[in-house]
């Protein structure tokens, strides 16, 4: 993909029951992945929204079904995939918290 996106989480405002606000929780840059939490979750719920910061953002989409097929076909791919996803999640957690 090309360009940058912001990652926002929606939450209920204390001032109003119906009002929702968004909190910036991260940025997705060139060659980074997102959606790994939704992929791993059994509920398939998105943990956050990814929103383009620029007009001409380009990205590649890989369907959940295609990834699952690849994981079933190759143990080697499966191991590398899950190791990579763990590293991405660990890096994001460290940058969010500052340190672990």
């Amino acid at each position: 993909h090309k360009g940058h996106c912001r990652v926002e989480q929606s939450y209920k405002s204390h001032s109003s029951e119906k009002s929702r606000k968004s909190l910036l929780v991260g940025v997705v840059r060139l060659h980074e992945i997102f959606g790994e939490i939704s992929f791993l979750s059994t509920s398939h719920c998105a943990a956050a929204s990814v929103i383009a910061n620029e007009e001409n953002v380009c990205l590649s989409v890989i369907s959940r079904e295609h990834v699952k097929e690849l994981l079933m076909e190759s143990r080697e791919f499966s191991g590398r995939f899950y190791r990579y996803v763990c590293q991405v999640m660990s890096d994001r957690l460290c940058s969010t918290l500052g340190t672990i």
Side-chain angles (χ1 to χ4, degrees), residues 42-97:
T42 56
S43 66
H44 306 298
C45 292
S49 297
V50 179
I51 303 157
N53 271 348
E54 302 159 17
E55 194 170 311
N56 295 319
V57 172
C58 296
L59 57 95
S60 298
V61 177
I62 305 171
S63 73
R64 176 187 309 274
E65 292 76 23
H66 185 68
V67 173
K68 285 185 174 184
E69 285 175 20
L70 293 172
L71 293 172
M72 295 298 288
E73 287 176 11
S74 169
R75 287 182 131 191
E76 182 181 342
F77 174 78
S78 181
R80 288 192 330 247
F81 174 82
Y82 284 113
R83 186 177 307 118
Y84 177 73
V85 168
C86 287
Q87 184 65 52
V88 167
M89 292 173 69
S90 174
D91 291 347
R92 288 196 182 143
L93 182 60
C94 286
S95 76
T96 299
L97 298 176

Side-chain angles (χ1 to χ4, degrees), residues 1-5 28-32 34 51-60:
H1 63 262
K2 158 182 134 173
H4 292 83
C5 299
V28 179
R29 293 182 174 80
L30 188 62
H31 302 298
E32 290 183 336
F34 61 90
I51 303 157
N53 271 348
E54 302 159 17
E55 194 170 311
N56 295 319
V57 172
C58 296
L59 57 95
S60 298

